[in-house]
Amino acid sequence: MKKILLLNPPFLPNYSRDSRSPAVTKSGTIYYPIWLSYAAGYLLKNGINVKLIDAVTDPIPWKLFTKMLTDENYDIIAVHTSTPSIESDGEIAQDIKKIVPNAMVYLTGTHPSALPEETLKMFPELDGVIKGELEIPLLDLAQGKEPGEVRGLIYRENNKIYSGKESDFVRNLDDLEWVSKVYRTFLDPSKYFYSALRYPVITINAGRGCKYHCSFCVLPQVMTGHQVRLRSIEDIIEELKYIKKEMPWVKEIMFEDDTFTSNHEWLQEFCMQLIRKNIKLRWSANARADLDSRTLTLMKYAGLRLLFVGFESPNSETLKTIKKGISPEDQETFMIRTRAAGILVHGSFIFGLPGEDKKEILEAIEYAIKLAPDSCQFFPLIPYPGTNIYSQLDKNDLISFKKFSEYLTPEGYHSTVVNYPDLSKEMILKLCYYARIAFYKRTHYYLRKILQILKNPGEAPRIFRAYMNFRKHIK
């Protein structure tokens, strides 16, 4: 059996590769390296010697890291990457290859999944890239399969690039190790923070894949696919029991599925089981604005605290263009229902979608204030390679950049590489800034937060920490 190192490499401080839009966040949110963590757990469960290092939250001096590499004698090293950090991550991976030339060094993540051959051409010292989900290819490699027999591997041999077998998904997600166990083994959960969630938080997956086809969303298009695979309710509940017993300091669970609420029947049964088995844990999840009142009420009784919802736009034509499958009326009804059920909502909007102009973006800002979610993010459109929206914009010469690092500002915050004739990149970013000011710097919003803290003192730590991180971005 091979010895494996999984590395979330150093980059900018607090950089989150596992966010759907990788960046340094303005609120101080720091994501768990969830993809590497699930892969580490799967390998451990199959008897593989594996180590996981998050060098973002736990930076390692280069000399010490070099010594560890030579002392540990890893056979396989997988370095996780993202579009904005690809140039830096690829160079680190090549440096590792020079230090331990006998190790096989691979890049993983959305970017090499979307552009495998291009990535290997950028970094000629690397042995390959892993497309899609990591577990099966890494296990194949660990068990000594030849590169051509490894599912999801694009590899280099004799200076030529070849493809292994077709990528495959983990079909039965109950075969995965509980990621909470992996966090306890390799990471320090106190170093991960989500501004909308109670701290400390643990993020887990109940499923993978998304049946919806939003044109901008990268994970289903290059990693998880559009067929939803769900863990059994029994397996999830057992993990929640484990967290409650072994990690009693955890204040909230976040289900980081692409769309946790996509299967309403499964969702209702899950909530019923939580209630019946008296699993008293607060939890939050990613959702769509299509839930009825009965389901929302049931979710609230089952411990739901907050839903992350992408509203994107108030314009019905724009929503159709990006294949959102939701109308503005659906969104407004959803907010009425969540308020009635006592559920918080973190909303998000995208500025610079195809067909939008400045007037429509200003209308979106007013719409966000009208919807009045508990908190809100305003993203510039970030078209990632491998998505339909990237292909559409690139075909029309509306994407412009020289380096992938231009997907970020110099500080590491979200930027955009889109430039329309009548809506420049600079204007899109200015409108995002204006939206933050308009949404957050309102007396009504401050009063609402004070009342929220008075009513639920447990909300205070995350509100104060998020505010201290965020305040400089709303001056």
Side-chain angles (χ1 to χ4, degrees):
M1 291 290 185
K2 308 287 186 180
K3 189 175 182 181
I4 297 182
L5 172 65
L6 305 180
L7 176 67
N8 189 31
F11 187 45
L12 299 168
N14 298 337
Y15 181 74
S16 289
R17 284 183 183 83
D18 286 68
S19 166
R20 283 161 182 76
S21 299
V24 177
T25 70
K26 297 178 175 68
S27 63
T29 293
I30 308 170
Y31 279 67
Y32 282 93
I34 195 167
W35 283 103
L36 291 179
S37 297
Y38 268 111
Y42 189 74
L43 293 170
L44 285 172
K45 203 171 182 180
N46 283 276
I48 307 301
N49 186 347
V50 61
K51 184 176 181 63
L52 166 62
I53 294 176
D54 186 351
V56 173
T57 56
D58 287 294
I60 305 172
W62 187 252
K63 284 187 179 180
L64 183 62
F65 181 66
T66 299
K67 184 177 185 304
M68 184 208 70
L69 287 175
T70 53
D71 289 350
E72 292 293 336
N73 197 27
Y74 292 105
D75 300 292
I76 298 165
I77 300 173
V79 179
H80 204 54
T81 187
S82 63
T83 294
S85 63
I86 182 63
E87 284 107 355
S88 173
D89 300 339
E91 289 302 326
I92 288 173
Q94 290 200 134
D95 288 342
I96 290 171
K97 181 67 179 178
K98 291 172 186 174
I99 296 165
V100 282
N102 291 330
M104 305 301 287
V105 181
Y106 303 102
L107 286 173
T108 72
T110 55
H111 189 89
S113 294
L115 302 174
E117 289 83 7
E118 291 88 336
T119 301
L120 285 178
K121 288 173 183 176
M122 283 176 68
F123 305 107
E125 303 299 320
L126 299 185
D127 295 294
V129 304
I130 292 173
K131 285 182 64 176
E133 296 179 4
L134 316 183
E135 290 86 2
I136 290 175
L138 284 171
L139 184 60
D140 283 352
L141 288 166
Q143 292 176 337
K145 289 188 178 181
E146 291 297 318
E149 296 299 309
V150 175
R151 292 161 286 182
L153 185 69
I154 310 298
Y155 63 98
R156 194 191 316 273
E157 195 172 272
N158 298 322
N159 294 319
K160 292 184 179 180
I161 297 172
Y162 300 93
S163 294
K165 290 188 173 180
E166 190 68 26
S167 299
D168 199 4
F169 301 118
V170 177
R171 301 293 171 179
N172 182 359
L173 295 186
D174 287 2
D175 289 341
L176 298 174
E177 181 58 274
W178 297 341
V179 77
S180 50
K181 282 188 176 182
V182 180
Y183 296 158
R184 285 191 72 205
T185 302
F186 293 112
L187 306 176
D188 179 356
S190 70
K191 295 186 177 181
Y192 302 92
F193 172 73
Y194 293 68
S195 61
L197 303 175
R198 292 195 176 188
Y199 173 85
V201 62
I202 293 291
T203 62
I204 70 176
N205 282 345
R208 288 182 179 175
C210 182
K211 66 182 182 180
Y212 305 104
H213 291 78
C214 304
S215 63
F216 57 86
C217 191
V218 66
L219 279 176
Q221 296 186 63
V222 304
M223 290 282 283
T224 58
H226 290 290
Q227 182 177 348
V228 178
R229 293 158 285 140
L230 291 165
R231 292 167 62 186
S232 68
I233 292 172
E234 293 74 19
D235 188 55
I236 300 169
I237 286 179
E238 288 304 310
E239 182 172 11
L240 296 180
K241 287 180 180 178
Y242 168 84
I243 293 169
K244 193 170 182 180
K245 179 182 178 182
E246 303 295 338
M247 309 166 87
W249 38 265
V250 170
K251 295 291 193 295
E252 187 159 3
I253 307 298
M254 171 63 191
F255 289 101
E256 194 59 81
D257 304 38
D258 296 324
T259 310
F260 178 78
T261 60
S262 62
N263 185 324
H264 292 190
E265 184 178 343
W266 179 94
L267 175 62
Q268 290 168 7
E269 180 59 26
F270 171 71
C271 291
M272 288 301 297
Q273 290 296 329
L274 287 178
I275 295 166
R276 287 175 188 145
K277 300 193 178 186
N278 200 31
I279 307 296
K280 296 193 175 186
L281 277 171
R282 288 186 183 88
W283 54 278
S284 295
N286 295 314
R288 278 170 65 83
D290 63 355
L291 296 168
D292 59 41
S293 295
R294 178 182 177 276
T295 303
L296 288 166
T297 301
L298 185 62
M299 293 169 77
K300 176 67 176 178
Y301 276 117
L304 175 67
R305 178 182 155 274
L306 177 143
L307 292 173
F308 290 80
V309 179
F311 296 114
E312 325 310 357
S313 171
N315 187 290
S316 57
E317 289 305 313
T318 300
L319 292 171
K320 288 177 185 176
T321 297
I322 61 173
K323 300 180 180 178
K324 186 69 183 177
I326 290 284
S327 71
E329 293 75 24
D330 293 332
Q331 296 176 161
E332 292 164 24
T333 300
F334 174 80
M335 286 304 301
I336 292 169
R337 290 171 176 169
T338 53
R339 271 191 287 273
I343 296 167
L344 300 176
V345 172
H346 174 87
S348 65
F349 288 82
I350 300 174
F351 294 168
L353 292 166
E356 275 190 334
D357 56 22
K358 182 179 178 181
K359 177 176 176 292
E360 289 179 359
I361 293 175
L362 292 172
E363 289 171 354
I365 296 169
E366 291 301 315
Y367 182 73
I369 294 170
K370 173 187 170 184
L371 288 182
D374 182 67
S375 53
C376 203
Q377 281 179 280
F378 302 95
F379 293 94
L381 174 60
I382 310 173
Y384 293 105
T387 60
N388 289 331
I389 207 163
Y390 182 95
S391 299
Q392 174 190 345
L393 294 170
D394 189 44
K395 182 180 178 181
N396 291 294
D397 295 322
L398 296 173
I399 292 178
S400 175
F401 65 93
K402 293 180 180 178
K403 293 184 177 181
F404 288 107
S405 57
E406 293 173 44
Y407 273 71
L408 302 175
T409 69
E411 301 81 12
Y413 304 130
H414 292 117
S415 187
T416 184
V417 293
V418 174
N419 261 308
Y420 298 104
D422 54 351
L423 189 67
S424 68
K425 164 184 174 177
E426 290 74 22
M427 179 55 68
I428 293 171
L429 294 177
K430 283 180 181 177
L431 288 166
C432 289
Y433 172 75
Y434 172 73
R436 291 192 294 274
I437 298 290
F439 185 86
Y440 287 104
K441 293 198 77 171
R442 293 177 291 132
T443 302
H444 178 74
Y445 187 80
Y446 288 140
L447 290 174
R448 199 170 81 192
K449 288 285 120 181
I450 292 169
L451 288 172
Q452 187 179 37
I453 291 170
L454 292 173
K455 186 177 179 181
N456 297 296
E459 297 285 347
R462 66 99 183 171
I463 290 174
F464 286 132
R465 180 169 172 177
Y467 173 73
M468 294 304 291
N469 287 317
F470 191 62
R471 59 181 177 169
K472 66 182 178 181
H473 301 290
I474 53 173
K475 289 183 178 179

